[in-house]
């Protein structure tokens, strides 16, 4: 695991945008895995600026998103399909047919999950997967106690996640209780991983992910055994890592 500590949210976003831009420049037909949530927002905004300035192009790449709320249509402003369109897809030159998000309206969930895995495989696998991390240690919607063997599947959201995500809804009751998410196995098969965390409220979770026991209790801890994972945090989210490094030195 590589640890990079950025100064603040802006610096973290700039660094993340440059990593993704670099990937697109070096390999225009790359397959990206992207995430939703508050953390990558500024990174996406910076990428749209780079695309406007023709510094990067998404024209040949494919993008697979981590997850989607179950029962929300992509037209619903709370859905992740809508989020991605609003913040990235409609603002860069990506072809709509090259953007993939699990279908939250699928009637046959098992079939939808298998089809999503097949699409990723047929695209050649994910080159670079961007991740956020929940305060409970989730990546995608892989909540504590997840199976490390799971591929894309239907998950029940943790109370902590429902609370955290209620910031995007009018009331807590409106937050869907289930979602379709790439599994830990899907994420671990990505050739590269870039996890972003910002803010002091993530500091303890980040510490457990990096230095804690590898355990389904902290799903992100599995990244310790990924051969090419980078954890990019700002100083606030990395404060416990820095305490640890100071102790070792
Ligand atoms: P956040 O969510 O970026 O809104 O903090 C991260 C996550 O839950 O994975």
């Amino acid at each position: 695991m590589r640890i990079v500590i950025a100064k603040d949210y802006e610096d973290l976003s700039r660094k993340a945008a440059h990593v993704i831009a670099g990937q697109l420049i070096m390999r225009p037909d790359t397959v990206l895995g992207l995430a939703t949530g508050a953390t990558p927002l500024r990174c996406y905004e910076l990428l749209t600026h780079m695309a406007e300035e023709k510094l990067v192009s998404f024209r040949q790449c494919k993008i697979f998103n981590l997850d989607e709320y179950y029962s929300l249509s992509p037209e619903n402003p709370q859905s992740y399909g809508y989020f991605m369109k609003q913040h990235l897809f409609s603002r860069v030159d990506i072809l709509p047919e090259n953007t993939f998000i699990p279908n939250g309206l699928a009637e046959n969930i098992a079939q939808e999950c298998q089809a999503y895995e097949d699409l990723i495989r047929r695209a050649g696998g994910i080159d670079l997967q961007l991740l956020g991390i929940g305060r409970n240690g989730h990546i995608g919607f892989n909540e504590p106690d997840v199976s490390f063997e799971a591929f894309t599947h239907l998950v029940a959201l943790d109370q902590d996640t429902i609370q955290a995500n209620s910031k995007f809804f009018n009331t807590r009751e409106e937050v869907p209780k289930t979602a379709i998410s790439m599994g830990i196995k899907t994420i671990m098969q990505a050739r590269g991983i870039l996890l972003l965390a910002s803010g002091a409220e993530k500091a303890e979770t980040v510490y457990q992910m990096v230095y804690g026991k590898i355990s389904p209790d902290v799903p992100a801890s599995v990244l310790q055994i990924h051969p090419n994972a980078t954890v990019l945090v700002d100083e606030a989210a990395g404060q416990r890592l820095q305490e640890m490094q100071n102790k070792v030195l």
Side-chain angles (χ1 to χ4, degrees), residues 37-39 132-134 138 167 202:
T39 311
I133 181 170
H138 75 195
K167 64 185 177 231
K202 301 278 176 74

Side-chain angles (χ1 to χ4, degrees), residues 159-208:
Q159 285 308 318
D160 197 66
T161 300
I162 291 173
Q163 181 57 38
N165 289 8
S166 63
K167 64 185 177 231
F168 297 110
F169 291 80
N170 294 324
T171 65
R172 192 178 191 277
E173 285 60 48
E174 282 177 35
V175 185
K177 309 289 178 287
T178 52
I180 298 177
S181 177
M182 283 186 198
I184 293 288
K185 198 101 184 186
T186 324
I187 293 170
M188 289 297 280
Q189 284 182 348
R191 286 182 277 278
I193 289 189
L194 177 64
L195 182 141
L196 308 181
S198 168
E201 62 169 25
K202 301 278 176 74
E204 178 59 29
T205 315
V206 165
Y207 175 81
Q208 291 302 333

Side-chain angles (χ1 to χ4, degrees), residues 117-163:
E117 288 292 329
D118 291 344
L119 283 169
I120 295 173
R121 207 157 302 129
R122 253 183 275 137
I126 293 169
D127 294 308
L128 178 64
Q129 175 68 56
L130 187 70
L131 296 174
I133 181 170
R135 274 179 320 195
N136 64 1
H138 75 195
I139 44 177
F141 272 135
N142 293 284
E143 306 286 32
D145 289 333
V146 72
S147 158
F148 283 168
E149 297 306 312
F151 287 97
T152 299
H153 63 305
L154 184 75
V155 294
L157 304 190
D158 199 278
Q159 285 308 318
D160 197 66
T161 300
I162 291 173
Q163 181 57 38

Side-chain angles (χ1 to χ4, degrees), residues 232-248:
L232 171 55
V233 297
D234 60 15
E235 281 179 4
Q239 63 196 18
R240 291 221 52 210
L241 301 182
Q242 281 180 319
E243 281 164 25
M244 187 70 181
Q245 279 163 357
N246 292 343
K247 243 185 250 168
V248 174

